[in-house]
Amino acid sequence: MAFLFNDDLVRLHVLAASDGQSAQRLKMRVVMAVRRYAARLVCRAVDAGEAFEILSKKTREIARRARITAMMSGYFGRVKVECGVYPFPDCDYADMRLARGDYRAVRVSIGKGAGHNWWCVLYPELCAVEQSVAEVLMGSGSVEFYSSIAQFFENLLSVVGL
């Protein structure tokens, strides 16, 4: 088993509003939207320090995307995005182990952030498997389709600054 160290990576951490089924589904939608955008931001970073700096400068845009995703899912409560250093427990991730400790992370809290959380390693990109795809393959999820109407509203909301 390989070990990853605190200074070599940046995590994405999303906390659901509650453990309810709808809150958990919303969390996964926010995860996918934020992860896709953040991955594009850091794809050319030379190290975790540069990746974290890029993400820190784009916190407002990350938050905007998370809020739009939440609103498109029918949630109009608080969505907070912060970049910082946060404590994480030991965790096995694929064939690697991440030791308990403080890690740089983009943290998204939906509502009070009191529900089950989700995380991945954003830099270097180790969030490659889409959770929704994995759920469908395991038989516990549903297929979601792209909506040009939803894309239209996302673009419209970005023009008006939401």
Side-chain angles (χ1 to χ4, degrees):
M1 180 172 286
F3 288 87
L4 292 175
F5 299 98
N6 304 31
D7 294 338
D8 298 336
L9 52 92
V10 178
R11 288 175 143 179
L12 171 61
H13 190 208
V14 181
L15 298 111
S18 73
D19 287 336
Q21 192 174 28
S22 62
Q24 291 298 310
R25 278 194 306 268
L26 172 61
K27 174 189 71 179
M28 292 313 301
R29 288 183 184 116
V30 170
V31 163
M32 294 308 128
V34 170
R35 190 204 61 80
R36 283 183 199 119
Y37 178 67
R40 284 194 312 263
L41 289 175
V42 300
C43 69
R44 290 196 171 85
V46 296
D47 59 29
E50 182 181 359
F52 187 71
E53 183 178 329
I54 291 166
L55 293 165
S56 295
K57 289 178 181 175
K58 293 291 191 173
T59 302
R60 287 183 62 171
E61 180 61 21
I62 295 168
R64 185 183 74 78
R65 289 173 186 262
R67 286 186 193 107
I68 288 170
T69 300
M71 289 169 39
M72 290 172 41
S73 299
Y75 179 82
F76 298 93
R78 184 183 80 116
V79 178
K80 183 179 180 182
V81 176
E82 302 172 288
C83 287
V85 177
Y86 304 100
F88 287 89
D90 286 332
C91 188
D92 291 336
Y93 185 71
D95 61 344
M96 294 167 278
R97 170 156 291 181
L98 279 78
R100 179 184 66 212
D102 296 334
Y103 290 83
R104 292 176 284 202
V106 174
R107 177 173 279 175
V108 181
S109 298
I110 303 168
K112 293 181 180 180
H116 280 89
N117 68 86
W118 184 95
W119 68 268
C120 72
V121 176
L122 187 58
Y123 184 91
E125 173 66 81
L126 297 176
C127 301
V129 176
E130 296 282 345
Q131 181 68 28
S132 58
V133 172
E135 287 174 356
V136 169
L137 293 173
M138 294 185 312
S140 62
S142 61
V143 177
E144 292 187 30
F145 295 94
Y146 171 82
S147 168
S148 58
I149 294 170
Q151 186 64 46
F152 168 80
F153 282 112
E154 181 177 333
N155 293 337
L156 179 65
L157 289 172
S158 69
V159 169
V160 297
L162 292 177

